Amino acid sequence: MEEKYRKDDILERYLNIAYFGAGAYGVEAAARRFFSTSADELTLAQAATLAGAVRLPYSTDPSLGRAHRARLRERRDTVLDRMAGLGMISQATATATKRAPLAIRLRPEPGGCAESAYPYFCLYVQRELLSNPVFGGTRAERQRRMARGGLVLKTTLDPVAQRAAERAIAARVSAEDTEVAAEAMVEPGSGRIRALAASKKFGRNAGDRDNGPHTTFNLAADVRHGGGMGFQAGSTFKVFTLATALKQGWRFDQGFKTPGMFVPSEGYKNCAGKPVNAPTTKIYNASGEGKGGPHSLSTGTWKSVNIFYMMLERRVGLCNVVETARSLGVARADGAPLREVPTFTLGVNEMDPLTVAGAFAAFAARGRYCRPVAIVEIVDREGLRTRVPPSCEQALERDVADAVNHILSGVFSQGTMKGQSIGRPAAGKTGTNNGYTSAWFAGYTPDLAAAVSVGDIRGSYRYPLRGVEIGGQSYGQVQGASLPGPIWVASMEAALRDTRPTSFVHPDMSRFGGGHTPGLAEALAAEKRAEQRQASHRRHFRKLRDSYRQYYRWLSRRHRPDH
């Protein structure tokens, strides 16, 4: 380098590509980002600040808060003292300049995700480049590769699906709401991420307020990819217990009687073999998702019966359920180990929509789980192409996945999503947490999977979804079918509008059909009679209402002045 360039040239080239923090690469971008000015108009204090930042761009990032700004000021003052020591400026000038505040005036990141048409997807790609060993052996190597520039990335984003998710969310949840909705869409069989959307706009709120129409959290993804802590996944986790039961030979109509209340006091062991019973915990069929009585694998799923699934989990083994979930890519949004407790099947773990969508996509792909991927190819400045192949494995037997799809299809025709449809074969599961702390819907077709979460960004436990107004509509309580479900339906309809409908593979009925649940036939017959009585009452009420309307119209005509 020194044989070809002068040292000033080398320094200039370095400063034009180096990372300064706060998403700014190159001194010009840093000048605009930090001080809303250009590099050739920097003051001494500003220039010294950037000279200090380039050495420690992460620990001095002024966009990350007071502590980082304090370290940045220390670095600036170190630079000024060194300049005085080298005779580049006088000590008096250095002392006077050090008295000045930093006077940071942050602009949106130049060339950063805030300026992208798809900011949440952009943030995911950025974090993936920095964290995935595929793109470099160490984080420093990955950082250098990204900082050098000249990369062309081919991603998996589908603008049609992205717009569908954004519009479905915006139609039902306002950016001003403290309740937030997020959705991720994944292609089954490849893991390609098609859309990442959220109800809030990406960026900082005015005055750096915590709450407002903007957020810098990638709400559809995990912490590793810029997301938050996630929300408890609720009854969407019952699908992992269902798959485990089918693996062990359970049949569609096989089941047992359930009480109105259940205490998990015995029979639960984690994957270390340690008992994790909860003798002080009482489980109810709460949140409008099912009630006690006899239930089969099918009816217990369609009605999302908590106690049935707690008892089923004990019968098939808690650790077996956890291992099924892990094989489908399930991991907590915050990166902590999964909580292996009796309420695992009720979704006690905090999740992000992308992880849940990726797991459900495996059922759509007949048991083939593919790690969600956003980048499929990188072309560097020399034209060298690096292709990123899908990372997939057969996590479930195909027959088991077909059986899961068969039961989850009934959620739309006979279960918690009855009356909601996308006009093509689909399967899914609602998720409503006890206490209404969050609500979910995760579902799929053979061509696309998606998961939608709703919760309060201020904290789901402190601010449950009860007595809330979201998107201008009042909710006594938010359930999986009342808000996440309609968002899913609207987004999937639009995303698949130009895709030919595909059917699920019919399950092997010789293996999964049949089974017996004591008292279920009688309970279903009684339920049908009750529904018929309610329908009869509704018809009688409509007739009575129509008669009154006719009578009042007749009265109004008789009492008009011209009669």
Side-chain angles (χ1 to χ4, degrees), residues 323-393:
E323 291 299 336
T324 296
R326 282 201 179 108
S327 72
L328 297 170
V330 170
R332 285 176 59 91
D334 60 6
L338 287 170
R339 292 181 60 198
E340 300 176 20
V341 294
T343 49
F344 183 87
T345 192
L346 303 186
V348 70
N349 283 282
E350 283 80 8
M351 304 296 296
D352 59 279
L354 180 57
T355 299
V356 175
F360 274 63
F363 298 116
R366 303 190 70 196
R368 177 178 166 86
Y369 171 73
C370 299
R371 179 184 177 275
V373 60
I375 304 168
V376 294
E377 185 178 81
I378 300 178
V379 183
D380 66 17
R381 63 174 67 194
E382 283 80 32
L384 180 65
R385 294 178 181 273
T386 303
R387 289 184 172 84
V388 184
S391 176
C392 305
E393 61 182 14

Side-chain angles (χ1 to χ4, degrees), residues 153-372:
L153 307 179
K154 182 179 180 182
T155 75
T156 61
L157 182 131
D158 176 2
V160 173
Q162 181 69 33
R163 283 193 297 271
E166 290 173 354
R167 289 171 180 173
I169 290 174
R172 293 162 180 82
V173 183
S174 168
E176 298 286 350
D177 295 332
T178 57
E179 297 81 12
V180 291
E183 182 172 17
M185 290 181 164
V186 174
E187 181 180 82
S190 71
R192 293 187 172 192
I193 304 168
R194 294 311 199 185
L196 295 175
S199 55
K200 288 193 177 293
K201 301 171 185 175
F202 181 76
R204 296 183 179 277
N205 293 303
D208 279 341
R209 290 182 297 133
D210 288 337
N211 298 315
H214 294 80
T215 183
T216 54
F217 286 111
N218 194 356
L219 296 172
D222 59 10
V223 169
R224 180 167 166 255
H225 293 94
M229 307 300 286
F231 295 117
Q232 283 190 333
S235 295
T236 60
F237 261 46
K238 289 173 182 171
V239 69
F240 306 121
T241 306
L242 170 64
T244 304
L246 290 166
K247 279 196 291 186
Q248 293 183 7
W250 282 67
R251 293 176 175 267
F252 294 148
D253 297 330
Q254 182 179 348
F256 43 82
K257 290 184 178 180
T258 64
M261 187 270 289
F262 177 73
V263 178
S265 57
E266 60 179 356
Y268 295 90
K269 291 184 179 180
N270 63 18
C271 290
K274 178 182 176 182
V276 287
N277 303 304
T280 61
T281 300
K282 294 180 180 180
I283 304 298
Y284 297 93
N285 293 316
S287 304
E289 289 196 327
K291 53 187 177 182
H295 286 289
S296 67
L297 215 57
S298 296
T299 64
T301 304
W302 296 337
K303 298 178 181 179
S304 197
V305 185
N306 289 347
I307 291 173
F308 173 82
Y309 263 92
M310 288 289 296
M311 296 173 70
L312 179 63
E313 180 189 56
R314 183 171 64 180
R315 294 191 183 200
V316 302
L318 168 60
C319 180
N320 292 329
V321 174
V322 172
E323 291 299 336
T324 296
R326 282 201 179 108
S327 72
L328 297 170
V330 170
R332 285 176 59 91
D334 60 6
L338 287 170
R339 292 181 60 198
E340 300 176 20
V341 294
T343 49
F344 183 87
T345 192
L346 303 186
V348 70
N349 283 282
E350 283 80 8
M351 304 296 296
D352 59 279
L354 180 57
T355 299
V356 175
F360 274 63
F363 298 116
R366 303 190 70 196
R368 177 178 166 86
Y369 171 73
C370 299
R371 179 184 177 275

Side-chain angles (χ1 to χ4, degrees), residues 33 47 58 132 143 158 176 216 267 283 312 394 400 424 491-492 498 517 540:
R33 175 72 167 130
Y58 298 103
N132 194 329
Q143 178 67 59
D158 176 2
E176 298 286 350
T216 54
I283 304 298
L312 179 63
Q394 194 69 33
V400 171
R424 65 176 66 211
S491 64
M492 290 289 281
D498 297 325
T517 301
H540 177 72

Side-chain angles (χ1 to χ4, degrees), residues 521-538:
E522 295 81 1
L524 291 176
E527 188 176 291
K528 187 173 183 179
R529 288 194 297 270
E531 289 176 355
Q532 289 172 341
R533 284 196 299 270
Q534 290 177 356
S536 176
H537 291 156
R538 286 193 294 268

Side-chain angles (χ1 to χ4, degrees), residues 490-543:
S491 64
M492 290 289 281
E493 279 182 332
L496 293 169
R497 185 165 292 145
D498 297 325
T499 302
R500 187 187 300 273
T502 307
S503 298
F504 294 111
V505 174
H506 193 69
D508 181 354
M509 297 304 288
S510 66
R511 178 178 175 183
F512 301 107
H516 177 66
T517 301
L520 180 59
E522 295 81 1
L524 291 176
E527 188 176 291
K528 187 173 183 179
R529 288 194 297 270
E531 289 176 355
Q532 289 172 341
R533 284 196 299 270
Q534 290 177 356
S536 176
H537 291 156
R538 286 193 294 268
R539 286 195 298 271
H540 177 72
F541 173 78
R542 283 196 294 269
K543 287 181 180 179

